[in-house]
Amino acid sequence: MSTMRVLPAGDRALLVELGSGEEAEAFHAELLRRRARGTLPAVREIVPAARTVLLDGLDDPARFAKGLADWEIPALVSGAGSTVELPVRYDGPDLAAVAELWGVPAGEVGRIHARTPFRVAFCGFAPGFGYLTGLAERYAVPRRSTPRTAVPAGAVALAGAYTGVYPRSSPGGWQLIGSTDAVLWDHARVPAALLTPGTRVRFVPEEG
Amino acid sequence: MTDRAFAVVRAGALTSVQDRGRPGHAHLGVPRSGALDEPARDLANRLVGNPLGAAVLETTLSGCAVRPRCAVTVAVTGAPCRVTVDGRPAAWGAPVRVAAGAVLDVGSAADGVRSYLAFAGGVACEPVLGSRSTDLLSGLGPAPLTHGTVLPLGPVAGPPVYADAVPWQGPPRELVLRAGPGPRTDWFTARALRTLVTAVYRVSPAGNRIGLRTEGPPLERAVDGELPSEGMVLGAVQVPPDGRPVVFLADHPTTGGYPVIAVVKERDLAAAAQAAPGTPLRFVLTERR
């Protein structure tokens, strides 16, 4: 992968920047494969994000960075990983605004969204909040100019080309297109997060 | 009342339960959390005979008061303060035996910000993802203490340690944070890098467990535009749109979209936790890219 850049992030960490979101997901998948095989040096955190993967808690980041040059990273296999189906009602207060941005009738937003296969690219913002990729770039929408002070738990929302589901009520600036009753985060459950990086996601509209 | 628990009589400005936090879950959006002044937390635990992973109370500026329901050995470390038991002066930085029903008062910080109160047996509330720490960013762990909160204590692990003197550096008159390069140092102008290491910043009162905020000259960016979200480390010096650097502390978000100009050495963060608002602050870059 010629586009890989290794950036400093403190005495025990590296930020590896890839050329695209897909490459970052492929690199992240390779890190998890190596860790499962026991060939990855000890590392406390592996944090994927939009175009980067952070490795934190490495004993010798410089040595790890040197070794990366020899890595061969297979492209992401579509269809790999487990699939989570989220029941959804496309009833969000920003549905009309999103429809206008997309240039489609309001009823079409849910249909387009529900037929899109998603993948959890990374988590952040709140425990269990996944940034889901899958929507084409032409469906990217801006954040709301004024964030809401309280977005309800289970709200299905868009920002950029990402889809996210609020695990609990919190302030938020994403455009709300729907809602789900799925429990995204339950710290008494193992695993606590329903959506973990690499998980495939389908939104399934509820009948009625 | 002989159950192993204590009740909160005076919660103080912000008192929370803290241990070593919950590292290893950042990929799920879970901050590390844990005590901000780790050496002070460890010392408090050692003094009462606890294993170092035991949970303690972390106070903020104004201390707290508790009434144990059982006789218990406690120790207060971190920011120096007046310690009393039922109004009588007791030792700071040493094991103190508190009788059942007595009121232990951890006074306002005479110096520094955060005092640590350890109980023999540790605070034994239910762990979340392996930690009892209160995480102010994501709301995991027990809520900050309020008047009347009752928290359980664990079984005593070992005898207290009677030390003649405990090491305490004292809160910094001037906070000097040594830092290495950050992943986005090149997003800033050469002038911004000079400003970062030559300007005297001040610790802002707006800081919290998420980040130490600063007052001082803004840092000018060389690259405009939005940075796609990326993983953030403890000690990251993130520069938001107002240009004033923020040093990420234990409850920092796991990903962020503002560029990180430098990363503060982890061993300097305990001093950062004890730097009161208004303390002069200098950054020292230990290496160049």
Side-chain angles (χ1 to χ4, degrees):
Chain A
M1 217 171 275
S2 58
T3 49
M4 184 188 285
R5 284 173 74 207
V6 180
L7 306 169
D11 293 340
R12 291 280 177 270
L14 292 173
L15 187 70
V16 182
E17 184 177 52
L18 290 304
S20 68
E22 295 74 51
E23 285 182 34
E25 290 189 53
F27 177 61
H28 177 244
E30 176 65 13
L31 284 166
L32 297 192
R33 274 194 296 273
R34 287 181 183 234
R35 186 158 72 175
R37 283 204 304 263
T39 58
L40 193 71
V43 55
R44 191 174 56 234
E45 309 275 10
I46 298 176
V47 189
R51 279 174 183 62
T52 58
V53 180
L54 172 70
L55 292 125
D56 193 5
L58 286 166
D59 270 345
D60 190 345
R63 189 167 155 201
F64 185 84
K66 222 175 256 175
L68 273 179
D70 302 327
W71 282 34
E72 278 187 30
I73 298 156
L76 266 191
V77 185
S78 68
S82 58
T83 301
V84 168
E85 292 195 344
L86 294 177
V88 62
R89 296 173 297 275
Y90 288 105
D91 58 1
D94 300 327
L95 207 55
V98 169
E100 199 177 320
L101 287 162
W102 286 8
V104 300
E108 197 58 27
V109 172
R111 275 192 285 279
I112 292 168
H113 195 258
R115 68 167 181 251
T116 305
F118 289 95
R119 196 166 180 282
V120 183
F122 61 98
C123 293
F125 174 62
F129 186 97
Y131 290 74
L132 278 53
T133 51
L135 278 180
E137 203 52 49
R138 68 176 178 280
Y139 294 127
V141 297
R143 284 176 167 77
R144 285 168 54 84
S145 51
T146 310
R148 288 186 171 86
T149 51
V151 172
V156 176
L158 306 181
Y162 292 116
T163 293
V165 185
Y166 284 78
R168 62 180 182 121
S169 175
S170 67
W174 290 35
Q175 311 262 8
L176 310 185
I177 61 164
S179 53
T180 178
D181 294 329
V183 177
L184 276 292
W185 176 263
D186 176 1
H187 61 247
R189 182 177 66 190
V190 178
L194 186 60
L195 306 182
T196 56
T199 305
R200 291 186 301 145
V201 180
R202 279 277 187 181
F203 288 89
V204 181
E206 284 181 359
E207 299 298 321
Chain B
M1 291 197 300
T2 56
D3 53 330
R4 291 196 57 75
F6 66 89
V8 177
V9 176
R10 181 174 67 80
L14 172 66
T15 303
S16 63
V17 177
Q18 296 298 337
D19 54 17
R20 287 195 281 203
R22 43 183 77 82
H25 304 282
H27 62 292
L28 303 178
V30 175
R32 163 191 319 220
S33 194
L36 294 193
D37 185 343
E38 296 189 315
R41 172 205 57 202
D42 289 350
L43 176 61
N45 271 327
R46 270 194 205 100
L47 288 169
V48 299
N50 282 347
L52 296 186
V56 305
L57 297 185
E58 177 182 278
T59 68
T60 312
L61 289 169
S62 59
C64 71
V66 298
R67 188 194 299 274
R69 294 178 169 181
C70 56
V72 62
T73 302
V74 304
V76 180
T77 64
C81 59
R82 184 177 151 88
V83 179
T84 62
V85 176
D86 276 344
R88 288 187 300 278
W92 174 93
V96 172
R97 190 73 178 163
V98 181
V103 172
L104 165 70
D105 193 279
V106 177
S108 291
D111 214 349
V113 178
R114 296 175 170 97
S115 301
Y116 291 84
L117 168 57
F119 300 84
V123 181
C125 51
E126 205 52 43
V128 173
L129 299 178
S131 166
R132 298 182 166 93
S133 289
T134 299
D135 170 355
L136 290 184
L137 182 75
S138 67
L140 295 183
L145 271 51
T146 55
H147 179 87
T149 303
V150 175
L151 288 169
L153 294 171
V156 175
V161 175
Y162 288 92
D164 290 333
V166 297
W168 165 248
Q169 294 181 318
R173 298 276 77 84
E174 179 195 47
L175 180 61
V176 178
L177 296 178
R178 290 164 296 172
R184 303 298 170 187
T185 303
D186 58 358
W187 276 51
F188 295 88
T189 61
R191 205 170 95 180
L193 286 170
R194 266 199 313 279
T195 302
L196 180 70
V197 296
T198 53
V200 174
Y201 285 88
R202 279 186 190 279
V203 176
S204 158
N208 53 26
R209 285 184 42 83
I210 297 164
L212 179 146
R213 291 178 178 276
T214 63
E215 292 167 349
L219 302 176
E220 186 190 18
R221 267 164 65 161
V223 179
D224 282 327
E226 218 172 306
L227 180 71
S229 280
E230 60 189 28
M232 292 283 146
V233 295
L234 186 69
V237 182
Q238 203 194 43
V239 182
D242 74 1
R244 268 83 186 187
V246 176
V247 181
F248 274 171
L249 302 178
D251 288 356
H252 72 85
T254 57
T255 59
Y258 298 130
V260 170
I261 191 170
V263 178
V264 172
K265 307 284 173 193
E266 225 171 295
R267 58 186 177 278
D268 284 0
L269 294 176
Q274 297 294 2
T279 304
L281 158 61
R282 280 194 302 123
F283 291 96
V284 175
L285 280 190
T286 54
E287 67 230 73
R288 296 274 176 174
R289 289 195 67 183

